[in-house]
Amino acid sequence: MSRTDLVLPALGYGAANVGNLFRPLSDDEAWAVLDAAWESGIRYYDTAPHYGLGLSERRLGAFLRTKPRGEFVLSTKAGRLLRPNPDRSGALDTANDFHVPDDLVRVWDFSAEGIGASLDESRERLGIDRIDLFYLHDPERHDLDLALREAFPALEALRADGRVSAIGIGSMVSEALAASVRSADLDLVMVAGRYTLLEQPAQADVLPVCAERGTGIVAASVFNSGLLAKSEPSRDGRYEYGALPEELWRRLVRIADVCRAHGVPLPAAAIRFPLRSSLVRSVVVGGSRPEQLRQNAEYAAMPIPDALWQELAAEGLTPAP
């Protein structure tokens, strides 16, 4: 049974790209991406202060303020406060993959005061008072034990006070996700790149504890750094922070072969795979071009034959149902 009454649409948009992730977008280009997401029926939007040092929140908020508040779900994240950068040089924040000026710096703060300030500052950047879902962002990159002691109780207090509807954690580390679900009263977890068509490390620890605790899952980074974003995989594709391991490449090629044999585009299977678990409430995809959002929405609605899933499971490429 779900721990929250918050209903998430099956497909969401992760707004890191409109924070100038990997490449700069003009305001008009970012608006066109968000407009394509909306026109394609996407009604869940996720952002974070980390994305473009607040640029994603500002652009997303400006767009969503033109839409009826009751028609979309909005999530953002806590853990990193944005403060003036005393060492700003006029360079870009490309060390964090964002093409924005380094006028601000990210400051970790897991205290109750810091979590509350993060919510207030996100509301101000967004220009939207009600945040539906508030995640703690990548706590293991700073201090997971401190997060368990201070940040999660602070999030629980915000929910109890009605300042947010639901709380959770967003991370790409299965151990951190599982430990957080065990220790805190979380509604949802955003599992980034750890429950995908290509690899499912979260299957071993995160999914069982979520089932036990009644915690829902939002699957993000389901294209595995773009490896699953095209029907014909590329051997030189990026895999997280390094080269694609040979064993994973062979798995990817075989998955693509099975999809092709069943007439299913690989990206469509990638979007639909996590939703086969009853624990997964939504799949969040990114995109920096309008056509990507329109295509992803079409993929999300595409029927997938059961025979595809059966063959993948029979070959040990995905977990048995």
Side-chain angles (χ1 to χ4, degrees), residues 33 43 49 54 57 105 125 155 171 179 231 246 256 266 278 307:
V33 168
R43 294 295 184 270
E57 287 186 318
V105 64
R125 283 188 293 268
L155 287 172
S171 173
S231 288
E246 180 63 29
L266 181 62
S278 61

Side-chain angles (χ1 to χ4, degrees), residues 258 262 304-313:
V258 174
H262 289 273
I304 309 292
D306 288 340
L308 168 65
W309 306 123
Q310 292 166 2
E311 184 171 350
L312 290 172

Side-chain angles (χ1 to χ4, degrees), residues 44 66 73 91 106 216 225 229 238 251-252 258 268 272 280 292 295 309 311 316 320:
Y44 170 35
T66 69
V73 176
R106 301 165 181 86
S225 303
R238 181 177 62 245
R251 174 184 289 264
L252 175 59
V258 174
R272 294 292 300 279
V280 176
Q292 291 174 322
Q295 183 69 81
W309 306 123
E311 184 171 350

Side-chain angles (χ1 to χ4, degrees), residues 6 19 39-40 101 113 119 157-158 217 219 232 285:
L6 180 66
E39 292 302 315
S40 298
E113 293 77 11
L119 177 62
L158 291 177
I217 293 173
E232 298 298 329
V285 296

Side-chain angles (χ1 to χ4, degrees), residues 135-302:
Y135 297 106
L136 188 66
H137 201 183
D138 299 331
E140 75 287 343
R141 296 192 182 187
H142 178 51
D143 188 331
L144 182 59
D145 290 337
L146 181 62
L148 296 176
R149 290 196 308 270
E150 297 189 10
F152 287 122
L155 287 172
E156 291 170 11
L158 291 177
R159 182 184 56 195
D161 291 343
R163 296 182 65 189
V164 297
S165 299
I167 60 171
I169 174 180
S171 173
M172 60 185 297
V173 177
S174 293
E175 294 82 1
L177 291 160
S180 299
V181 174
R182 289 190 196 99
S183 301
D185 183 22
L186 304 183
D187 300 297
L188 293 147
V189 296
M190 178 173 279
V191 180
R194 290 297 170 266
Y195 189 62
T196 74
L197 181 64
L198 181 60
E199 53 181 348
Q200 307 88 32
Q203 178 85 21
D205 48 8
V206 181
L207 270 66
V209 73
C210 284
E212 177 185 337
R213 301 274 287 166
T215 302
I217 293 173
V218 174
S221 301
V222 296
F223 292 146
N224 277 101
S225 303
L227 293 170
L228 300 169
K230 296 179 180 179
S231 288
E232 298 298 329
S234 171
R235 181 65 182 87
D236 58 0
R238 181 177 62 245
Y239 176 70
E240 296 181 359
Y241 302 109
L244 178 63
E246 180 63 29
E247 180 181 354
L248 213 56
W249 166 246
R250 291 196 297 268
R251 174 184 289 264
L252 175 59
V253 169
R254 183 58 192 142
I255 290 172
D257 288 344
V258 174
C259 288
R260 192 179 306 108
H262 289 273
V264 174
L266 181 62
I271 290 174
R272 294 292 300 279
F273 168 76
L275 292 166
R276 287 175 54 76
S277 169
S278 61
L279 294 168
V280 176
R281 308 282 189 260
S282 183
V283 168
V284 168
V285 296
S288 62
R289 294 176 174 84
E291 57 270 22
Q292 291 174 322
L293 273 298
R294 289 190 282 266
Q295 183 69 81
N296 285 337
E298 291 179 10
Y299 285 147
M302 187 174 293

Side-chain angles (χ1 to χ4, degrees), residues 9-33:
L11 184 65
Y13 176 64
N17 289 108
V18 298
N20 287 3
L21 178 66
F22 301 134
R23 70 183 188 93
L25 298 180
S26 68
D27 287 344
D28 287 344
E29 288 172 324
W31 189 281
V33 168

